[in-house]
Amino acid sequence: RCPRNQCGRVFLANYSQSLNGVFQLRYLEPRQHEEPPLPDLLKENFSDFCKIYKQAIIADEMNLKEIAGMGLRKSLEFLIKDFVIKKLKNDNAGEEKINEVKKLFLGTCIEKYISDSTIKRRAKRAVWLGNDETHFFKKWPEKDLTDLKNLIEITISSIEAQLLDEKYQKEMKEPR
């Protein structure tokens, strides 16, 4: 049991003994995972994305690299499509448009519905690398999971910036 009062978790430790008799810690089970830091605004608006993204990051931490990339790609799709759907609802778009977004390929959705050039540029590249993680042939073999995570993170920051901008535009329409 962890001796820290705020923790107190039960765990198993696996040690190996070297030839000189010294024991070395090999690993602990079950592993504890920190929740990836995500802006509150995203947690409030895109809970499906946050759930999938968290699982993908945990898979990466567990060295499950082959499925972590697919999870990151899926999380990106949920983030982008939910972002687009949120904007369409705010613009009072009909259910038909929203259903169209749900069915579109992610790249087509970005091209057709994302107007902010920064979000579009970043999200498109994240999709390219995310697709590499799900397909047999890699188009970007020199890029890896770190690059995909970086692109998703900067896409997140762009979306957060736009949401914050919209929030303050609504709250502060005129100077006082």
Side-chain angles (χ1 to χ4, degrees):
R1 178 180 291 275
C2 178
R4 290 186 11 232
N5 287 336
Q6 58 270 52
C7 179
R9 291 187 179 121
V10 175
F11 61 91
L12 299 173
N14 186 303
Y15 291 89
S16 62
Q17 188 175 14
S18 63
L19 294 175
N20 62 2
V22 176
F23 285 92
Q24 288 188 304
L25 178 65
R26 288 181 49 213
Y27 60 88
L28 299 173
E29 291 290 337
R31 292 184 55 167
Q32 298 298 317
H33 302 281
E34 296 289 321
E35 190 167 321
L38 290 169
D40 289 338
L41 206 49
L42 262 71
K43 290 178 187 176
E44 293 164 13
N45 289 286
F46 308 113
S47 61
D48 288 334
F49 158 74
C50 293
K51 179 176 59 174
I52 298 164
Y53 182 77
K54 177 183 175 182
Q55 290 178 13
I57 295 298
I58 289 171
D60 183 38
E61 288 174 2
M62 294 177 69
N63 212 26
L64 300 172
K65 305 295 183 193
E66 302 304 318
I67 62 171
M70 289 185 278
L72 287 168
R73 167 60 176 77
K74 181 177 180 176
S75 74
L76 178 67
E77 181 151 350
F78 274 74
L79 174 63
I80 297 297
K81 288 189 175 182
D82 283 343
F83 175 66
V84 167
I85 289 168
K86 179 178 175 49
K87 290 185 74 57
L88 288 172
K89 286 181 178 177
N90 288 344
D91 296 340
N92 295 316
E95 204 59 38
E96 187 178 310
K97 262 227 196 293
I98 291 169
N99 285 332
E100 177 190 344
V101 168
K102 292 177 181 178
K103 295 174 186 173
L104 283 175
F105 287 119
L106 183 54
T108 306
C109 179
I110 291 167
E111 201 56 48
K112 187 171 181 177
Y113 288 102
I114 301 289
S115 56
D116 182 283
S117 62
T118 303
I119 295 173
K120 183 180 280 193
R121 185 177 62 246
R122 292 171 175 184
K124 281 169 58 173
R125 281 157 180 79
V127 170
W128 297 344
L129 294 188
N131 287 345
D132 266 7
E133 295 297 325
T134 62
H135 294 112
F136 191 79
F137 176 76
K138 280 188 169 246
K139 294 180 179 180
W140 300 90
E142 73 281 5
K143 301 294 183 196
D144 62 12
L145 220 47
T146 300
D147 296 301
L148 175 57
K149 288 189 289 189
N150 288 338
L151 284 166
I152 291 174
E153 286 175 17
I154 63 175
T155 302
I156 288 169
S157 69
S158 296
I159 288 174
E160 180 190 25
Q162 186 170 351
L163 292 174
L164 282 171
D165 180 61
E166 290 169 3
K167 174 184 182 258
Y168 287 114
Q169 293 297 319
K170 284 180 189 172
E171 293 175 356
M172 303 170 70
K173 292 182 188 218
E174 297 295 325
R176 289 187 180 170

